[in-house]
Amino acid sequence: MIRRNTRLRQEYLYRKNLEGKERDDYEKKRKIKKALDEGKPIPTELVDFEFKNRESIKLDKLDGTAPTSIDDEYARAGIMDPKVFITTSREPSSRLIQFSKELKMLFPNSQKMNRGAHVMKEIVDACRANDVTDLIIAHEHRGEPVGLVISHLPYGPTAYFEIKNCIMIHDIQESTPPSLAFPHLIFHNFTTPLGERTEKILKYLFPVPKDDSRRVVTFSNENDYISFRHHIYEKDGHKDIILKEVGPRFELKLYKITLGTVEQEEADVEWVYKPYMNSTKNRLFI
């Protein structure tokens, strides 16, 4: 099993390296094609490349879209329903156990397991062996849920979120019983590349809903805090809609994305929050 995982990881990295070269060649061809169409001279640094690849540039169809990643982590998303596995940190409090139960009700096709004495590598290996697509780990501080780790399998990425202002289902007055239907998703204000990356990580935890589903899950981003809300709606007559909150309710703040799975301490860091990150490219929204 260890040798097989090592081989698969090496193949993954090799394909990823090839993809980077293909994207570079695509961008060079696009710039050359644009210069020729506008009647401008080819940039000096691309003259040699144009001479060597003149025929392929003429034949290639450059439609403005970069080649699709051959090893996209979410290549099969939407084709098969996700399979989510939920656990907690060790020795969870009763409140964290309750929170993990509510997460299980939130994500369709999910399973929950008590952490016990299992180490993280054992859990990840078991998830891989059972075709689990995403591993979710809830953390707490003094009995209050404070962290959520979402690790996409088999190769990553892994996103680390801070949880704030967590209100569970039984804390919401007049809360409606949860529905088991696949929910419609609403994402608001995820407009930068980092925002789109975060949206993809969250979106593919849910299967594709049916048109008649009346369950709605909302991720609304304001000032890099993602407000999570869970509702069902009912029709009152022909036009009126009654929206009822189900819960839980909380805010997420992304602070790190790594390119490996959660047990890989040596995995490359794709993005990490640092103080004074005020530039637009480092934010989830514009």
Side-chain angles (χ1 to χ4, degrees):
M1 179 62 72
I2 295 176
R3 289 183 178 179
R4 180 175 178 273
N5 288 338
T6 301
R7 176 175 56 80
L8 291 174
R9 183 67 184 174
Q10 288 174 344
E11 292 176 357
Y12 171 82
L13 294 174
Y14 175 71
R15 293 197 306 269
K16 193 172 187 65
N17 183 54
L18 289 180
E19 177 206 322
K21 185 177 184 304
E22 290 175 359
R23 283 183 175 272
D24 290 342
D25 289 350
Y26 174 87
E27 287 300 322
K28 291 178 181 178
K29 290 179 181 180
R30 187 183 62 80
K31 290 178 181 178
I32 293 170
K33 185 77 172 175
K34 182 179 179 181
L36 293 174
D37 291 344
E38 295 177 354
K40 296 180 180 179
I42 296 173
T44 306
E45 67 274 12
L46 299 179
V47 171
D48 291 342
F49 181 84
E50 189 274 338
F51 179 76
K52 295 177 182 178
N53 300 275
R54 186 168 296 169
E55 291 302 320
S56 64
I57 292 173
K58 291 179 181 178
L59 295 174
D60 282 350
K61 190 175 182 181
L62 306 177
D63 57 2
T65 304
T68 303
S69 173
I70 60 173
D71 63 341
D72 183 7
E73 301 114 333
Y74 295 94
R76 298 189 62 80
I79 300 175
M80 299 178 63
D81 288 344
K83 190 175 179 182
V84 179
F85 188 83
I86 300 168
T87 189
T88 64
S89 54
R90 283 206 176 97
E91 299 181 1
S93 65
S94 59
R95 186 166 174 81
L96 187 65
I97 293 174
Q98 178 63 32
F99 182 66
S100 65
K101 290 179 180 178
E102 295 186 6
L103 289 178
K104 182 182 182 301
M105 290 188 290
L106 175 64
F107 298 108
N109 300 331
S110 63
Q111 294 293 327
K112 184 187 79 70
M113 186 189 80
N114 295 331
R115 175 68 177 273
H118 297 291
V119 298
M120 191 53 60
K121 188 177 186 308
E122 292 176 350
I123 295 175
V124 173
D125 288 343
C127 288
R128 285 198 182 102
N130 289 277
D131 297 324
V132 171
T133 60
D134 294 274
L135 171 63
I136 297 179
I137 307 157
H139 294 275
E140 67 179 338
H141 179 67
R142 295 183 178 179
E144 190 67 25
V146 295
L148 201 66
V149 180
I150 301 174
S151 185
H152 185 66
L153 299 173
Y155 303 121
T158 300
Y160 297 79
F161 295 91
E162 179 185 5
I163 299 176
K164 288 184 174 291
N165 305 322
C166 181
I167 300 177
M168 299 192 202
I169 294 176
H170 63 275
D171 295 329
I172 299 175
Q173 293 183 356
E174 300 181 358
S175 174
T176 302
S179 169
L180 299 179
F182 295 174
H184 295 286
L185 303 179
I186 298 174
F187 286 89
H188 174 68
N189 219 9
F190 291 79
T191 52
T192 65
L194 177 60
E196 292 173 355
R197 176 68 156 163
T198 306
E199 178 180 337
K200 181 179 285 189
I201 291 170
L202 296 171
K203 176 170 67 175
Y204 291 126
L205 295 172
F206 298 88
V208 178
K210 295 183 179 179
D211 293 338
D212 60 353
S213 174
R214 297 190 177 183
R215 184 180 172 202
V216 181
V217 168
T218 304
F219 296 91
S220 179
N221 177 40
E222 294 294 337
N223 297 322
D224 285 355
Y225 282 92
I226 303 169
S227 296
F228 173 85
R229 299 294 184 268
H230 181 199
H231 296 85
I232 61 171
Y233 68 88
E234 298 176 356
K235 292 183 179 180
D236 184 13
H238 295 289
K239 296 182 179 180
D240 295 335
I241 298 293
I242 299 176
L243 197 63
K244 297 181 179 180
E245 185 172 6
V246 178
R249 177 200 309 165
F250 51 83
E251 273 70 50
L252 295 173
K253 184 170 178 63
L254 177 69
Y255 67 87
K256 187 168 68 171
I257 299 177
T258 63
L259 292 176
T261 48
V262 65
E263 91 286 6
Q264 296 174 341
E265 297 180 358
E266 74 283 359
D268 293 337
V269 176
E270 179 179 348
W271 181 88
V272 62
Y273 174 80
K274 296 178 182 178
Y276 312 110
M277 293 182 74
N278 295 323
S279 61
T280 302
K281 68 178 182 180
N282 292 323
R283 299 174 69 90
L284 299 179
F285 73 103
I286 295 179

